Amino acid sequence: MFSWLHIAMPPAPALFAQLLVGLINGSFYALLSLGLAIIFGLLNIINFAHGAQYMMGAFCAWFLLDWWGIGYWPALVIAPFAVGAVGIAIERLLLRRLAGLDHLYGLLLTFGLALVIEGLFRQRYGSSGLPYTIPAELIGGKNLGFMFLPVYRGWVVVFSLTVCLATWFVIERTRLGALLRAATENATLVQAFGIDVPRLVTLTYGAGVALAALAGVLAAPIYQVSPLMGANIIIVVFAVVVIGGMGSILGAIVSGFALGLIEGLTKVFYPEASNTIIFVIMALVLLVKPAGLFGRAA
Amino acid sequence: MPDLLAVDGLHAWYGESHVLHGVDFVVRQGELATLLGRNGAGKTTTLRAIMGIAGRRRGSVRFAGAELIGLPSNRIARMGVGYCPEERGVFASLSVEENLLLPPPVRPGGLSLDEIYTIFPNLLDRRRSQGTKLSGGEQQMLAIARILRTGATLLLLDEPTEGLAPVIVQQIGAVLRSLKERGFTMLLVEQNFRFAATVADRHYIVEHGRVIDAIDNAALAANEAKLHDYLGV
């Protein structure tokens, strides 16, 4: 009599497994959209190179291991600094010249940079992925009774949530964060108070890029390290940023995790829509709240 | 008293438009001088050009003997110049206290937070509020208060009484007089010369991007007809 229920309700393990996949994806969406939000807030630049910088983070971890035998844990620190330094160079040499121009210029420049960087990596490493092994400490899994939890995936969720909350704390509750918020509103006045705003802008871009690279290192053992890994995820991340509200820190974190979960649930209940659900939500949010769920109307 | 600020042949441009055409005046140590003039005469631009945020500029601005032309605004602030903009510039995403603590100390000798809250008790009551939730008068108090902490010795104040009720204007006048007693040097842009007369030592008349006259406050009454002519009041 209720046989249709068996079709509608998936078995619990499948549900939890997809929820976990959703949380993992959400972790990456949140980390990446957080970096984008910070950069957009202060620089007013839509950083289309973010996906390429995420990919560079993963490659940096792979280079460290393959060339010098430096493992995952040091890579988690070295890669964000190394790729962040590349970001600082990009800001100093290129983005700075676009200050005060229309959004479009920054968008085109960073989009072009992403194509160049991804093209160079593809030229050298092809588009098939390179494997990166899970660090020994995080191999294996735990049976939670209702599901099997691979330790590395649990680590990714916990660690990225910690990084997101720490970033939120720095921006909303510290003096450095107050400077960033104030400079986002009125950079000229903050500089007239004695703050070296150009340096603040450079370091902020570097920090946003470093967050992307950190996500790249986290992703390396889960997805394969591939030149196009960033191009694949960044479109979804832009949708997440739009839903959360451009430049909103809390919006980036909450909508990153929430949309990962919604995507996971869609895979269980209506798999055909799992690739489009985020964009449908984006369209709906834009219709109802054009500034995004957490955005301040301009 | 020696000159703390000496502006000499100051020109400034916004894009292609030439706004200041050689502004000359001095502000002596411990003095409160005003720039009076009609709308669009170049008073605000003069303050912005001193602060280094007015676009292209030429000429000479000497502060305590050091040349400011060519320095970025953050370096000018670090030498001890505090700026209170016409639009007040209270940050909406910061609390009142965060707004107060935002400008970094640039030299020793600034007022402590306690002293500031003694002068502006309203700010203490509302220190957790969002900056822009304050009334206009309170926002003006906040914009002045936050440059008192830094140790700046010269305060550039752009129309602090604009759009405020008479009772608030009186309070601001009392604050400016007490700041003068504490030894601050101030350059005040005003449209309201009756208010300016209650606080200032000297007035400079600005017209068409130049200083065309200087009047001591003591001589203001004797020059009232001339002043009406300059200001069109």
Short mmCIF file of all heavy atoms in Angstrom, two decimals, chain A residues 171-175 177-179 181-183 185-198 296, chain B residues 51 53 72-74 77-78 81 83 85 87-94 98 101-104 106 146-147:
data_model
loop_
_atom_site.label_atom_id
_atom_site.label_comp_id
_atom_site.label_asym_id
_atom_site.label_seq_id
_atom_site.Cartn_x
_atom_site.Cartn_y
_atom_site.Cartn_z
N ILE A 171 37.56 39.39 11.61
CA ILE A 171 36.97 40.52 10.89
C ILE A 171 35.92 41.25 11.73
O ILE A 171 35.85 42.48 11.72
CB ILE A 171 36.37 40.03 9.55
CG1 ILE A 171 37.54 39.65 8.65
CG2 ILE A 171 35.51 41.11 8.91
CD1 ILE A 171 37.15 39.08 7.33
N GLU A 172 35.15 40.51 12.52
CA GLU A 172 34.05 41.16 13.24
C GLU A 172 34.41 41.58 14.65
O GLU A 172 33.69 42.38 15.26
CB GLU A 172 32.82 40.22 13.29
CG GLU A 172 32.24 39.90 11.93
CD GLU A 172 31.65 41.12 11.22
OE1 GLU A 172 31.28 42.09 11.91
OE2 GLU A 172 31.60 41.10 9.98
N ARG A 173 35.48 41.05 15.22
CA ARG A 173 35.70 41.28 16.65
C ARG A 173 37.07 41.84 17.01
O ARG A 173 37.36 42.04 18.18
CB ARG A 173 35.51 39.97 17.43
CG ARG A 173 34.08 39.46 17.47
CD ARG A 173 33.22 40.28 18.41
NE ARG A 173 31.85 39.82 18.46
CZ ARG A 173 30.90 40.21 17.62
NH1 ARG A 173 31.18 41.08 16.65
NH2 ARG A 173 29.68 39.76 17.72
N THR A 174 37.95 42.07 16.03
CA THR A 174 39.28 42.56 16.39
C THR A 174 39.51 43.94 15.78
O THR A 174 38.75 44.41 14.93
CB THR A 174 40.39 41.63 15.87
OG1 THR A 174 40.40 41.69 14.44
CG2 THR A 174 40.18 40.20 16.33
N ARG A 175 40.61 44.57 16.23
CA ARG A 175 40.95 45.89 15.72
C ARG A 175 41.30 45.83 14.23
O ARG A 175 40.89 46.69 13.46
CB ARG A 175 42.12 46.44 16.53
CG ARG A 175 42.85 47.53 15.84
CD ARG A 175 43.39 48.60 16.77
NE ARG A 175 43.96 49.65 15.95
CZ ARG A 175 43.27 50.70 15.53
NH1 ARG A 175 42.01 50.84 15.87
NH2 ARG A 175 43.83 51.61 14.77
N GLY A 177 40.14 43.76 12.11
CA GLY A 177 38.88 43.63 11.40
C GLY A 177 38.14 44.95 11.31
O GLY A 177 37.54 45.28 10.28
N ALA A 178 38.19 45.75 12.40
CA ALA A 178 37.53 47.06 12.38
C ALA A 178 38.16 47.94 11.29
O ALA A 178 37.46 48.65 10.57
CB ALA A 178 37.63 47.73 13.75
N LEU A 179 39.49 47.87 11.17
CA LEU A 179 40.17 48.63 10.11
C LEU A 179 39.69 48.18 8.73
O LEU A 179 39.43 49.00 7.85
CB LEU A 179 41.69 48.41 10.19
CG LEU A 179 42.46 49.24 11.20
CD1 LEU A 179 43.93 48.88 11.14
CD2 LEU A 179 42.27 50.71 10.89
N ARG A 181 36.83 46.67 7.96
CA ARG A 181 35.44 47.07 7.73
C ARG A 181 35.36 48.56 7.39
O ARG A 181 34.66 48.96 6.47
CB ARG A 181 34.58 46.76 8.96
CG ARG A 181 34.13 45.30 9.04
CD ARG A 181 33.38 45.03 10.32
NE ARG A 181 34.30 44.88 11.44
CZ ARG A 181 34.07 45.33 12.67
NH1 ARG A 181 32.96 45.98 12.94
NH2 ARG A 181 34.95 45.14 13.62
N ALA A 182 36.13 49.36 8.14
CA ALA A 182 36.09 50.80 7.90
C ALA A 182 36.66 51.14 6.52
O ALA A 182 36.10 51.95 5.79
CB ALA A 182 36.88 51.53 9.00
N ALA A 183 37.76 50.48 6.14
CA ALA A 183 38.38 50.76 4.84
C ALA A 183 37.46 50.32 3.70
O ALA A 183 37.47 50.90 2.62
CB ALA A 183 39.73 50.07 4.73
N GLU A 185 34.26 50.64 3.81
CA GLU A 185 33.28 51.71 3.67
C GLU A 185 33.87 52.97 3.06
O GLU A 185 33.25 53.60 2.21
CB GLU A 185 32.72 52.08 5.06
CG GLU A 185 31.57 51.24 5.52
CD GLU A 185 31.00 51.80 6.81
OE1 GLU A 185 30.61 52.98 6.82
OE2 GLU A 185 30.97 51.06 7.81
N ASN A 186 35.03 53.39 3.57
CA ASN A 186 35.59 54.69 3.16
C ASN A 186 37.11 54.64 3.31
O ASN A 186 37.67 55.06 4.31
CB ASN A 186 34.98 55.80 4.04
CG ASN A 186 35.39 57.18 3.59
OD1 ASN A 186 36.33 57.34 2.82
ND2 ASN A 186 34.67 58.18 4.06
N ALA A 187 37.76 54.13 2.26
CA ALA A 187 39.21 53.93 2.32
C ALA A 187 39.96 55.26 2.44
O ALA A 187 40.96 55.35 3.14
CB ALA A 187 39.68 53.16 1.08
N THR A 188 39.45 56.30 1.77
CA THR A 188 40.13 57.60 1.80
C THR A 188 40.24 58.12 3.22
O THR A 188 41.30 58.58 3.65
CB THR A 188 39.35 58.61 0.94
OG1 THR A 188 39.19 58.07 -0.36
CG2 THR A 188 40.08 59.93 0.86
N LEU A 189 39.13 58.03 3.96
CA LEU A 189 39.12 58.57 5.32
C LEU A 189 40.03 57.73 6.23
O LEU A 189 40.76 58.27 7.06
CB LEU A 189 37.69 58.61 5.86
CG LEU A 189 37.53 59.26 7.22
CD1 LEU A 189 38.06 60.69 7.21
CD2 LEU A 189 36.06 59.26 7.65
N VAL A 190 39.97 56.41 6.08
CA VAL A 190 40.82 55.55 6.91
C VAL A 190 42.30 55.89 6.66
O VAL A 190 43.09 55.97 7.60
CB VAL A 190 40.53 54.06 6.63
CG1 VAL A 190 41.56 53.17 7.30
CG2 VAL A 190 39.14 53.71 7.14
N GLN A 191 42.65 56.14 5.41
CA GLN A 191 44.03 56.52 5.13
C GLN A 191 44.35 57.89 5.74
O GLN A 191 45.45 58.09 6.26
CB GLN A 191 44.30 56.54 3.62
CG GLN A 191 45.78 56.79 3.33
CD GLN A 191 46.19 56.41 1.93
OE1 GLN A 191 45.37 55.99 1.11
NE2 GLN A 191 47.47 56.54 1.64
N ALA A 192 43.37 58.81 5.72
CA ALA A 192 43.60 60.13 6.31
C ALA A 192 43.71 60.07 7.83
O ALA A 192 44.07 61.04 8.48
CB ALA A 192 42.48 61.09 5.91
N PHE A 193 43.38 58.92 8.43
CA PHE A 193 43.60 58.73 9.87
C PHE A 193 44.99 58.17 10.15
O PHE A 193 45.34 57.94 11.31
CB PHE A 193 42.55 57.78 10.45
CG PHE A 193 41.20 58.40 10.64
CD1 PHE A 193 40.05 57.63 10.61
CD2 PHE A 193 41.06 59.76 10.87
CE1 PHE A 193 38.80 58.19 10.79
CE2 PHE A 193 39.82 60.34 11.05
CZ PHE A 193 38.69 59.56 11.01
N GLY A 194 45.75 57.88 9.10
CA GLY A 194 47.12 57.44 9.33
C GLY A 194 47.38 55.98 9.01
O GLY A 194 48.43 55.44 9.34
N ILE A 195 46.40 55.30 8.39
CA ILE A 195 46.59 53.89 8.06
C ILE A 195 47.12 53.77 6.64
O ILE A 195 46.65 54.46 5.73
CB ILE A 195 45.24 53.13 8.14
CG1 ILE A 195 44.60 53.30 9.52
CG2 ILE A 195 45.41 51.66 7.79
CD1 ILE A 195 45.39 52.68 10.63
N ASP A 196 48.11 52.91 6.45
CA ASP A 196 48.66 52.67 5.12
C ASP A 196 47.69 51.75 4.36
O ASP A 196 47.84 50.54 4.33
CB ASP A 196 50.04 52.03 5.25
CG ASP A 196 50.77 51.97 3.93
OD1 ASP A 196 50.12 52.17 2.89
OD2 ASP A 196 51.99 51.74 3.93
N VAL A 197 46.66 52.37 3.76
CA VAL A 197 45.61 51.57 3.12
C VAL A 197 46.13 50.76 1.93
O VAL A 197 45.74 49.60 1.78
CB VAL A 197 44.41 52.47 2.72
CG1 VAL A 197 43.43 51.73 1.85
CG2 VAL A 197 43.71 52.97 3.98
N PRO A 198 47.00 51.31 1.08
CA PRO A 198 47.50 50.45 -0.01
C PRO A 198 48.13 49.16 0.48
O PRO A 198 47.95 48.10 -0.12
CB PRO A 198 48.54 51.36 -0.70
CG PRO A 198 48.06 52.74 -0.43
CD PRO A 198 47.46 52.70 0.96
N ARG A 296 24.04 43.81 2.43
CA ARG A 296 23.40 45.10 2.69
C ARG A 296 23.04 45.70 1.35
O ARG A 296 23.87 45.72 0.44
CB ARG A 296 24.37 46.05 3.40
CG ARG A 296 24.60 45.68 4.83
CD ARG A 296 25.27 46.84 5.56
NE ARG A 296 25.73 46.40 6.85
CZ ARG A 296 26.96 45.95 7.07
NH1 ARG A 296 27.81 45.90 6.08
NH2 ARG A 296 27.32 45.54 8.25
N MET B 51 45.11 67.89 3.80
CA MET B 51 45.13 66.49 4.26
C MET B 51 45.68 65.55 3.19
O MET B 51 45.96 64.38 3.47
CB MET B 51 43.69 66.12 4.62
CG MET B 51 43.54 64.98 5.60
SD MET B 51 44.31 65.33 7.18
CE MET B 51 45.41 63.95 7.32
N ILE B 53 44.02 64.64 0.31
CA ILE B 53 43.00 63.76 -0.29
C ILE B 53 42.18 64.51 -1.32
O ILE B 53 41.05 64.12 -1.63
CB ILE B 53 42.07 63.16 0.79
CG1 ILE B 53 41.46 64.27 1.65
CG2 ILE B 53 42.81 62.18 1.66
CD1 ILE B 53 40.45 63.75 2.66
N PRO B 72 51.66 61.14 1.14
CA PRO B 72 50.32 60.54 1.15
C PRO B 72 49.61 60.88 2.46
O PRO B 72 50.26 61.21 3.46
CB PRO B 72 50.59 59.04 1.04
CG PRO B 72 51.96 58.85 1.57
CD PRO B 72 52.72 60.12 1.29
N SER B 73 48.27 60.81 2.44
CA SER B 73 47.49 61.30 3.59
C SER B 73 47.83 60.55 4.87
O SER B 73 47.80 61.13 5.97
CB SER B 73 46.00 61.20 3.30
OG SER B 73 45.63 59.87 3.03
N ASN B 74 48.17 59.24 4.79
CA ASN B 74 48.48 58.52 6.02
C ASN B 74 49.74 59.07 6.70
O ASN B 74 49.82 59.13 7.92
CB ASN B 74 48.57 57.00 5.79
CG ASN B 74 49.52 56.61 4.68
OD1 ASN B 74 49.45 57.15 3.59
ND2 ASN B 74 50.42 55.68 4.95
N ALA B 77 48.75 62.38 8.42
CA ALA B 77 48.07 62.11 9.70
C ALA B 77 49.08 61.74 10.77
O ALA B 77 48.99 62.17 11.92
CB ALA B 77 47.05 60.99 9.52
N ARG B 78 50.08 60.93 10.39
CA ARG B 78 51.07 60.46 11.36
C ARG B 78 51.93 61.60 11.91
O ARG B 78 52.56 61.45 12.94
CB ARG B 78 52.00 59.42 10.71
CG ARG B 78 51.30 58.14 10.31
CD ARG B 78 51.37 57.14 11.43
NE ARG B 78 50.53 55.98 11.13
CZ ARG B 78 50.25 55.02 12.02
NH1 ARG B 78 50.74 55.09 13.23
NH2 ARG B 78 49.48 54.03 11.69
N VAL B 81 48.22 65.57 12.30
CA VAL B 81 47.09 66.31 11.78
C VAL B 81 45.85 65.43 11.88
O VAL B 81 45.84 64.31 11.36
CB VAL B 81 47.31 66.73 10.30
CG1 VAL B 81 46.15 67.60 9.82
CG2 VAL B 81 48.63 67.45 10.14
N TYR B 83 41.70 64.94 11.12
CA TYR B 83 40.76 65.44 10.12
C TYR B 83 39.35 64.98 10.45
O TYR B 83 39.10 63.80 10.67
CB TYR B 83 41.19 64.93 8.74
CG TYR B 83 40.23 65.24 7.61
CD1 TYR B 83 39.88 66.56 7.32
CD2 TYR B 83 39.70 64.22 6.84
CE1 TYR B 83 39.01 66.85 6.27
CE2 TYR B 83 38.84 64.50 5.78
CZ TYR B 83 38.50 65.81 5.50
OH TYR B 83 37.64 66.08 4.47
N PRO B 85 35.80 65.17 8.64
CA PRO B 85 35.23 65.56 7.34
C PRO B 85 33.82 66.14 7.46
O PRO B 85 33.13 65.91 8.45
CB PRO B 85 35.23 64.26 6.55
CG PRO B 85 35.14 63.20 7.59
CD PRO B 85 35.84 63.72 8.81
N GLU B 87 31.14 65.33 5.89
CA GLU B 87 30.07 64.33 5.95
C GLU B 87 30.19 63.48 7.21
O GLU B 87 29.46 62.52 7.39
CB GLU B 87 30.09 63.47 4.68
CG GLU B 87 31.25 62.49 4.54
CD GLU B 87 32.57 63.15 4.12
OE1 GLU B 87 32.62 64.39 3.98
OE2 GLU B 87 33.57 62.42 3.97
N ARG B 88 31.11 63.85 8.08
CA ARG B 88 31.37 63.24 9.39
C ARG B 88 32.08 61.91 9.30
O ARG B 88 32.92 61.60 10.12
CB ARG B 88 30.09 63.08 10.22
CG ARG B 88 29.57 64.45 10.61
CD ARG B 88 28.18 64.44 11.16
NE ARG B 88 27.68 65.81 11.22
CZ ARG B 88 26.42 66.15 11.08
NH1 ARG B 88 25.50 65.22 10.87
NH2 ARG B 88 26.06 67.41 11.14
N GLY B 89 31.75 61.10 8.30
CA GLY B 89 32.51 59.87 8.09
C GLY B 89 32.44 58.88 9.23
O GLY B 89 33.40 58.19 9.52
N VAL B 90 31.28 58.81 9.90
CA VAL B 90 31.10 57.79 10.93
C VAL B 90 30.83 56.46 10.22
O VAL B 90 30.03 56.40 9.29
CB VAL B 90 29.93 58.16 11.86
CG1 VAL B 90 29.56 57.00 12.76
CG2 VAL B 90 30.30 59.39 12.68
N PHE B 91 31.54 55.40 10.64
CA PHE B 91 31.44 54.13 9.92
C PHE B 91 30.24 53.32 10.40
O PHE B 91 30.11 53.04 11.60
CB PHE B 91 32.73 53.33 10.10
CG PHE B 91 33.91 53.99 9.47
CD1 PHE B 91 34.80 54.72 10.24
CD2 PHE B 91 34.11 53.93 8.10
CE1 PHE B 91 35.89 55.36 9.66
CE2 PHE B 91 35.20 54.56 7.51
CZ PHE B 91 36.08 55.28 8.29
N ALA B 92 29.39 52.93 9.47
CA ALA B 92 28.16 52.21 9.80
C ALA B 92 28.45 50.79 10.28
O ALA B 92 27.72 50.25 11.10
CB ALA B 92 27.24 52.16 8.58
N SER B 93 29.53 50.19 9.79
CA SER B 93 29.78 48.79 10.15
C SER B 93 30.61 48.69 11.44
O SER B 93 31.01 47.59 11.82
CB SER B 93 30.48 48.07 9.00
OG SER B 93 31.66 48.75 8.64
N LEU B 94 30.84 49.83 12.10
CA LEU B 94 31.59 49.82 13.36
C LEU B 94 30.71 50.35 14.48
O LEU B 94 29.87 51.23 14.25
CB LEU B 94 32.84 50.71 13.24
CG LEU B 94 34.13 50.08 12.72
CD1 LEU B 94 33.95 49.52 11.33
CD2 LEU B 94 35.25 51.07 12.73
N GLU B 98 34.24 51.31 18.50
CA GLU B 98 35.18 50.94 17.43
C GLU B 98 35.52 52.17 16.57
O GLU B 98 36.66 52.35 16.14
CB GLU B 98 34.60 49.84 16.55
CG GLU B 98 34.72 48.45 17.14
CD GLU B 98 34.09 47.38 16.25
OE1 GLU B 98 33.03 47.63 15.64
OE2 GLU B 98 34.64 46.29 16.18
N LEU B 101 38.01 54.22 18.49
CA LEU B 101 39.34 53.62 18.61
C LEU B 101 40.01 53.43 17.25
O LEU B 101 41.15 52.99 17.19
CB LEU B 101 39.25 52.28 19.34
CG LEU B 101 38.76 52.36 20.79
CD1 LEU B 101 38.63 50.98 21.40
CD2 LEU B 101 39.71 53.22 21.63
N LEU B 102 39.30 53.75 16.17
CA LEU B 102 39.83 53.45 14.84
C LEU B 102 41.12 54.22 14.50
O LEU B 102 42.11 53.61 14.10
CB LEU B 102 38.77 53.69 13.77
CG LEU B 102 39.21 53.29 12.37
CD1 LEU B 102 39.14 51.78 12.21
CD2 LEU B 102 38.34 53.96 11.31
N PRO B 103 41.13 55.56 14.62
CA PRO B 103 42.37 56.25 14.23
C PRO B 103 43.51 55.87 15.17
O PRO B 103 43.36 55.95 16.38
CB PRO B 103 42.01 57.73 14.38
CG PRO B 103 40.52 57.78 14.37
CD PRO B 103 40.09 56.50 15.02
N PRO B 104 44.61 55.42 14.65
CA PRO B 104 45.71 54.98 15.51
C PRO B 104 46.38 56.18 16.18
O PRO B 104 46.42 57.26 15.60
CB PRO B 104 46.68 54.31 14.54
CG PRO B 104 46.41 54.96 13.23
CD PRO B 104 44.96 55.32 13.22
N VAL B 106 49.09 58.71 16.94
CA VAL B 106 50.21 59.10 16.09
C VAL B 106 51.34 59.73 16.90
O VAL B 106 52.48 59.75 16.47
CB VAL B 106 49.77 60.04 14.96
CG1 VAL B 106 48.85 59.31 14.01
CG2 VAL B 106 49.08 61.28 15.49
N ARG B 146 36.96 61.26 17.99
CA ARG B 146 37.90 60.20 17.63
C ARG B 146 39.26 60.75 17.18
O ARG B 146 40.22 59.99 17.13
CB ARG B 146 37.30 59.28 16.57
CG ARG B 146 37.12 59.90 15.23
CD ARG B 146 36.48 58.90 14.28
NE ARG B 146 36.01 59.64 13.12
CZ ARG B 146 35.30 59.12 12.14
NH1 ARG B 146 34.96 57.85 12.17
NH2 ARG B 146 34.93 59.85 11.12
N ILE B 147 39.35 62.06 16.83
CA ILE B 147 40.68 62.58 16.48
C ILE B 147 41.36 63.23 17.68
O ILE B 147 42.47 63.75 17.57
CB ILE B 147 40.64 63.55 15.28
CG1 ILE B 147 39.62 64.65 15.51
CG2 ILE B 147 40.37 62.78 14.00
CD1 ILE B 147 39.67 65.72 14.43
#
